Amino acid sequence: TTNHLRHVESMATMPSGAGNIPHLNAIVLGEALASEENDLIFPSDDFSRQAHVPSPRKYLEMYKRSIEDPAGFWSDIASSFYWKQKWGQQVYLENLDVRKGNIRIEWFKGGITNICYNCLDSNVEAGLGDKIALYWEGNEPGVDATLTYIQLLHNVCQLANYLKDIGVKKGDAVVVYLPMLMELPITMLACARIGAVHSVVFAGFSAESLAQRIVDCKPKVVITCNAVKRGSKVIHLKDIVDAALFESSQSGVSVDVCLTYENQSAMKKESTKWQEERDVWWQDVIPKYPTTCAVEWVDAEDPLFLLYTSGSTGKPKGVVHTTGGYMVYTATTFKYAFDYKPSDIYWCTADCGWITGHSYVTYGPLLNGASAVIFEGAPNYPNPGRCWDIVDKYQVTIFYTAPTLVRSLMRDSDEYVTRYSRKSLRVLGSVGEPINPSAWRWFFNLVGDSKCPISDTWWQTETGGFMITPLPGAWPQKPGSATFPFFGVQAVIVDEKGVEIEGECSGYLCVKSSWPGAFRTLYGDHERYETTYFKPFPGYYFSGDGCSRDKDGYHWLTGRVDDVINVSGHRIGTAEVESALVSHPQCAEAAVVGVEHEVKGQGIYAFVTLVEGVPYSEELRKSLILNVRKQIGAFAAPDKVHWAPGLPKTRSGKIMRRILRKIASRQLDELGDTSTLADPNVVEQLIALADV
Ligand code: ATP
Ligand code: MG
């Protein structure tokens, strides 16, 4: 309780100007929080004392400045980076309103820099040359490697020199299809060093998906490896690339070079299929190049990379990020949302094939001079304790993962967690989907021993970095809430008509002005960029997600607005019903969709995965439904519970509701594009259980 009082006190003495920020009014009042004591989890005094942002008051001070004077706020931060030449007079320029012409966002235009220089050279110059930049943990326990900042710089320079040698120039695209080897961040950084634009394709995508992306940006070179082992499975990546390159050549796009890393632990050189005139072994050429390479200086607004969204809702979108704003934004969000300190060991379980791997495996941590773990394998191999084994091995202090992983580990015995110490941990993080309060509590109580704040970071491929996120030393947390907007982010909730709603409310999550990490266009399709994100609510960036704000000003993501279910006039977010189901001790995972219902308009159809070893039964079905009735109300009770041995997920682990909707309404011949699905077999299993 002393903790609690300290926070309430600090809120009572909030600067009065903070009240001008409408959605923070409630929290400024303090009493609102005091009355909700039971829902709140406070950071310890010790944690807050050492934090970059130790109190709501400090947050408000900084947030207020970031909104009232974005140019000053961000240029102060940007000044700590290396710029060959400072940006022009105008720090940023924006038009987010389709009625006023084309959508345009620019930050630090005219500033000349290089993100690879800021990740590596700057840190080496600052004396961090011998600090470990990357700890690599292989698929098999005991197989590992490290790279210091100086070693990483040398490796990056060698590849950069090779790429220049084969004619890759500033602005050229490079397609990367690599698993989580050191060579993946090395490749991203080498591209950045010479001003080339990387397009990393998650090395789990099919040949068709890869071919589509190759045809889209027509690279001179594709970089891959021969194979990878994930768990006990060997995946022949080079065969997939061969097939993709054949397919793209049929569409008239031929690639000159396929640079292939020999991943010896998975497959030997000799057994790899080879095309002499096109394929080159990485190990044959790269080590011969010099370990220094002059940097290609680029404008802040020159493109850094191209990355497709996960494809949860339909055809993936080729998101384009530029250099300067992205650099400043990822570094700053990393520092504050994880309360990063130089002594931290950071591990993010995401693959570099997703935005999380771009911003928070590669760029954000390296820009901060951090030591980061990257992991090649599967989190449950050789057993479900692997993550905690890795945490202990490297003494990980910040652990960032996705709700899907948390839920899957919850299915197994807690003993897999408790047999490891996990004492080094101080901050946990979650991203990708709303985290159900029961998964949040398991993560917090068991994994973090009730002492590590959880940064539930809401953001998107499009946003480049965190948008709504706890600052771990500042905020009392509510399990399942992403809390408050990051500095400079004017997150607003609008109604159907696009009118902002204040106070306690629920609606469409939008952003009112630009932030440095915002995407600038969709590759080759600026019109789709405007139509998808800026036309639905003119004047705002529309996220596509639903959100509610409680009386204390906390934000709760309710899922994608396309997924909202309307039952007899009640608008129900999928996240809420799923959380009620998952809070049942025998339910491991749940996905809820709407189906047509004669009386109610829409009915609720729930797919439910049970905890390992629990049999299906009518009794259990009833007890699951009862959980929802009790927690939300009778109107939200599922009309149907469909047993699901597994759920269809994207390769980044998100539930694909559009496929579930088709199964629920038995439109089985209209499943649509399933190429981004991780395991297509799941669909057949689900269909087979439809009437059980
Ligand atoms: P597509 O746009 O192709 O359908 P996607 O939206 O899944 O794919 P991403 O950009 O990887 O692709 O994911 C962003 C989305 O993930 C967000 O819009 C949101 O729906 C969800 N999300 C991410 N983090 C969180 C979080 N902390 N809480 C709730 N939802 C989250
Ligand atoms: Mg999306």
Side-chain angles (χ1 to χ4, degrees):
T1 35
T2 49
N3 243 330
H4 175 105
L5 289 176
R6 180 175 58 80
H7 277 277
V8 173
E9 221 170 275
S10 72
M11 279 180 284
T13 54
M14 219 64 88
S16 59
N20 297 335
I21 302 162
H23 66 270
L24 290 175
N25 276 341
I27 199 156
V28 172
L29 294 174
E31 323 85 73
L33 274 181
S35 67
E36 275 225 314
E37 200 170 352
N38 294 335
D39 285 279
L40 293 170
I41 294 171
F42 289 86
S44 71
D45 280 340
D46 284 348
F47 190 100
S48 290
R49 211 173 288 126
Q50 59 80 56
H52 292 304
V53 185
S55 62
R57 181 196 175 88
K58 180 72 186 165
Y59 162 83
L60 274 176
E61 235 173 75
M62 292 175 72
Y63 182 76
K64 188 167 178 288
R65 175 166 185 237
S66 74
I67 300 305
E68 289 172 358
D69 175 22
F73 181 88
W74 288 112
S75 55
D76 281 357
I77 292 178
S79 300
S80 67
F81 292 78
Y82 180 80
W83 300 82
K84 182 88 185 153
Q85 185 186 304
K86 213 186 150 185
W87 51 91
Q89 292 242 301
Q90 213 160 0
V91 175
Y92 71 101
L93 192 153
E94 67 182 24
N95 174 35
L96 266 57
D97 192 335
V98 278
R99 296 164 303 195
K100 295 185 184 152
N102 289 340
I103 301 299
R104 186 168 162 206
I105 299 171
E106 288 173 1
W107 280 82
F108 311 115
K109 177 100 179 148
I112 305 291
T113 188
N114 182 292
I115 196 170
C116 173
Y117 187 92
N118 276 286
C119 285
L120 303 179
D121 308 57
S122 292
N123 284 320
V124 170
E125 274 157 36
L128 297 183
D130 294 328
K131 180 172 179 178
I132 293 193
L134 298 174
Y135 287 98
W136 177 78
E137 170 79 3
N139 181 59
E140 300 299 327
V143 177
D144 52 30
T146 58
L147 284 179
T148 61
Y149 270 88
I150 192 113
Q151 290 168 331
L152 181 56
L153 174 62
H154 290 168
N155 282 290
V156 165
C157 286
Q158 288 185 312
L159 178 61
N161 282 319
Y162 167 78
L163 292 174
K164 281 209 292 204
D165 212 20
I166 62 168
V168 178
K169 292 193 186 58
K170 182 178 165 188
D172 288 350
V174 172
V175 168
V176 186
Y177 189 74
L178 279 168
M180 288 298 274
L181 303 173
M182 300 268 212
E183 282 64 29
L184 181 43
I186 290 173
T187 301
M188 295 163 74
L189 291 160
C191 291
R193 192 166 192 87
I194 63 170
V197 180
H198 54 73
S199 170
V200 180
V201 180
F202 173 61
F205 273 121
S206 63
E208 291 98 288
S209 306
L210 176 59
Q212 266 175 23
R213 286 154 175 74
I214 291 171
V215 170
D216 217 20
C217 69
K218 306 176 186 55
K220 204 168 261 151
V221 50
V222 172
I223 303 182
T224 187
C225 76
N226 54 351
V228 65
K229 254 187 100 177
R230 259 181 80 81
S232 45
K233 257 198 337 228
V234 179
I235 305 153
H236 293 181
L237 297 182
K238 176 67 163 52
D239 289 351
I240 298 170
V241 174
D242 285 347
L245 288 176
F246 175 75
E247 240 183 271
S248 41
S249 70
Q250 301 294 92
S251 317
V253 175
S254 66
V255 169
D256 299 344
V257 180
C258 176
L259 181 67
T260 310
Y261 182 82
E262 184 193 7
N263 191 13
Q264 288 206 1
S265 60
M267 185 185 202
K268 293 273 175 276
K269 223 170 159 170
E270 295 71 41
S271 14
T272 310
K273 286 192 207 99
W274 209 245
Q275 290 193 25
E276 276 309 329
E277 68 294 351
R278 185 197 69 197
D279 301 346
V280 177
W281 284 113
W282 176 301
Q283 284 95 330
D284 285 353
V285 291
I286 306 304
K288 294 184 185 143
Y289 281 86
T291 54
T292 57
C293 171
V295 164
E296 179 79 39
W297 298 107
V298 301
D299 189 278
E301 282 301 328
D302 279 335
L304 173 64
F305 66 83
L306 171 62
L307 181 69
Y308 293 84
T309 57
S310 306
S312 310
T313 51
K315 188 171 173 277
K317 303 170 275 280
V319 165
V320 177
H321 281 286
T322 56
T323 304
Y326 177 84
M327 171 171 83
V328 171
Y329 199 68
T330 52
T332 310
T333 45
F334 176 82
K335 172 179 163 185
Y336 287 107
F338 295 130
D339 190 46
Y340 170 74
K341 304 287 158 49
S343 55
D344 280 314
I345 308 284
Y346 166 81
W347 180 26
C348 166
T349 61
D351 191 286
C352 286
W354 310 116
I355 189 66
T356 306
H358 281 59
S359 302
Y360 302 109
V361 174
T362 305
Y363 293 115
L366 294 177
L367 287 165
N368 280 280
S371 296
V373 177
I374 60 174
F375 176 41
E376 179 192 27
N380 53 1
Y381 176 83
N383 63 57
R386 184 68 187 278
C387 288
W388 325 120
D389 183 35
I390 296 174
V391 165
D392 281 357
K393 174 171 173 181
Y394 297 100
Q395 293 292 294
V396 170
T397 59
I398 306 172
F399 177 71
Y400 185 35
T401 193
T404 178
L405 183 89
V406 175
R407 290 190 302 255
S408 91
L409 296 178
M410 274 172 78
R411 289 182 82 172
D412 291 298
S413 148
D414 288 356
E415 200 267 323
Y416 283 113
V417 184
T418 52
R419 70 163 77 139
Y420 297 97
S421 144
R422 295 158 284 110
K423 274 212 161 52
S424 55
L425 290 173
R426 59 179 211 97
V427 177
L428 302 173
S430 170
V431 61
E433 293 176 293
I435 180 164
N436 321 100
S438 64
W440 194 102
R441 287 184 193 279
W442 183 87
F443 198 28
F444 181 80
N445 292 329
L446 196 70
V447 174
D449 274 334
S450 308
K451 70 175 186 7
C452 309
I454 298 179
S455 284
D456 174 5
T457 59
W458 176 79
W459 62 298
Q460 310 177 292
T461 310
E462 294 88 342
T463 68
F466 305 148
M467 298 296 279
I468 299 184
T469 177
L471 299 179
W475 293 119
Q477 292 197 273
K478 298 190 183 190
S481 166
T483 72
F484 295 94
F486 191 71
F487 304 130
V489 175
Q490 297 202 54
V492 297
I493 297 176
V494 305
D495 64 14
E496 274 100 88
K497 296 194 190 81
V499 178
E500 275 177 48
I501 15 184
E502 281 162 19
E504 209 179 330
C505 66
S506 181
Y508 303 84
L509 180 58
C510 290
V511 187
K512 209 170 166 159
S513 61
S514 78
W515 62 99
F519 67 140
R520 309 299 200 241
T521 190
L522 288 180
Y523 187 71
D525 201 349
H526 201 70
E527 205 180 311
R528 188 175 178 206
Y529 173 73
E530 297 183 334
T531 313
T532 311
Y533 303 101
F534 297 93
K535 284 205 178 132
F537 301 109
Y540 299 95
Y541 164 73
F542 173 46
S543 67
D545 288 345
C547 183
S548 59
R549 198 188 295 126
D550 69 18
K551 65 182 192 312
D552 300 326
Y554 282 65
H555 292 80
W556 300 78
L557 276 298
T558 51
R560 291 157 207 281
V561 293
D562 304 345
D563 296 334
V564 167
I565 306 169
N566 197 324
V567 182
S568 314
H570 300 281
R571 290 171 59 79
I572 304 172
T574 51
E576 217 181 340
V577 184
E578 285 158 11
S579 288
L581 289 166
V582 175
S583 73
H584 189 287
Q586 289 174 315
C587 173
E589 194 156 41
V592 162
V593 296
V595 281
E596 230 175 277
H597 190 287
E598 275 178 26
V599 185
K600 302 191 254 186
Q602 272 189 307
I604 294 183
Y605 193 113
F607 293 85
V608 171
T609 306
L610 298 176
V611 166
E612 214 57 64
V614 174
Y616 306 137
S617 75
E618 258 342 278
E619 220 170 300
L620 183 52
R621 213 189 294 254
K622 284 194 191 118
S623 127
L624 284 161
I625 295 173
L626 192 65
N627 245 36
V628 183
R629 299 177 79 98
K630 276 201 293 216
Q631 286 180 30
I632 308 174
F635 65 94
D639 298 280
K640 160 94 184 169
V641 171
H642 184 143
W643 302 121
L647 293 169
K649 291 191 183 168
T650 62
R651 283 157 212 263
S652 59
K654 298 184 202 206
I655 299 166
M656 268 222 243
R657 289 190 179 70
R658 73 183 155 82
I659 291 181
L660 291 174
R661 270 196 293 269
K662 295 293 177 193
I663 296 177
S665 58
R666 304 290 188 270
Q667 292 166 294
L668 302 179
D669 45 356
E670 292 171 29
L671 296 177
D673 181 7
T674 53
S675 69
T676 55
L677 211 56
D679 176 10
N681 294 329
V682 167
V683 174
E684 267 143 55
Q685 289 172 3
L686 280 180
I687 294 171
L689 284 169
D691 299 308
V692 175

